[in-house]
Amino acid sequence: MSMKQAIDDFLAQRRIGIVGVSRGKNDFSRGLLREMRMQGYDTVPVNPNAEEIEGLKCFPSVRDINPPVDGVLVMVPGNEVESVVRDCAAAGVTRVWLHGMGTVTDPGEPVRALCGENGITLIPGQCPYMFLAETAWIHRLHARIWKWFGKYPA
């Protein structure tokens, strides 16, 4: 499966967990959670330090989400990625998107191997805003620039 096919498959799912959603109202992760909800996604916030975010029940881990999610968007620092992917594997999640923040753009061989061993389709280092059907002009511009420079997934 190509990266673009993996992205399209991920976004075709409707119930998406977002791990690392901030408690701060103006944080990027909160904006993405709101945007996905406006576009019809049933987003589920995951943050062990919050009980509720954006009026939604917040879960401490992916394994605690009930009913389960179809995919997980990961927005945590690079040193936490492997733990989150292990949690996804334990929960039976087969689609994991690592938002392109810091070291998450290259998850490393242990994370790639973990995904392979557990049948998880991994999307590393892409910004979901660029691929959402209806998004602000700045994100469409970001996608266009990536296309110009050959970085947009084919």
Side-chain angles (χ1 to χ4, degrees):
M1 177 181 316
S2 74
M3 183 61 62
K4 182 66 168 84
Q5 289 170 323
I7 289 167
D8 291 344
D9 175 64
F10 187 98
L11 293 175
Q13 310 310 306
R14 300 322 288 169
R15 187 162 167 80
I16 305 292
I18 303 181
V19 177
V21 176
S22 175
R23 292 176 290 171
K25 288 188 178 206
N26 296 323
D27 189 79
F28 182 88
S29 62
R30 291 281 288 267
L32 185 54
L33 175 86
R34 286 189 294 268
E35 179 69 27
M36 291 184 78
R37 289 195 69 74
M38 286 190 311
Q39 293 197 30
Y41 290 92
D42 179 12
T43 53
V44 180
V46 178
N47 181 328
N49 300 310
E51 291 184 20
E52 182 180 286
I53 292 179
E54 295 288 326
L56 303 168
K57 179 179 179 181
C58 192
F59 293 87
S61 75
V62 174
R63 284 172 292 150
D64 296 318
I65 299 172
N66 190 19
V69 292
D70 302 313
V72 171
L73 175 59
V74 180
M75 301 181 76
V76 299
N79 63 336
E80 296 176 25
V81 169
E82 186 173 349
S83 174
V84 172
V85 173
R86 286 191 187 286
D87 191 40
C88 290
V93 173
T94 59
R95 296 168 187 89
V96 172
W97 186 323
L98 305 179
H99 184 273
M101 296 167 37
T103 57
V104 176
T105 58
D106 181 6
E109 189 52 39
V111 170
R112 290 182 188 281
L114 181 61
C115 288
E117 293 164 8
N118 289 281
I120 296 172
T121 300
L122 178 65
I123 302 168
Q126 304 293 330
C127 179
Y129 272 117
M130 291 193 306
F131 303 95
L132 292 172
E134 302 287 328
T135 193
W137 69 269
I138 192 72
H139 305 297
R140 292 191 308 271
L141 176 62
H142 184 195
R144 182 161 296 191
I145 290 169
W146 274 46
K147 287 176 184 176
W148 287 336
F149 289 99
K151 292 183 174 186
Y152 194 86

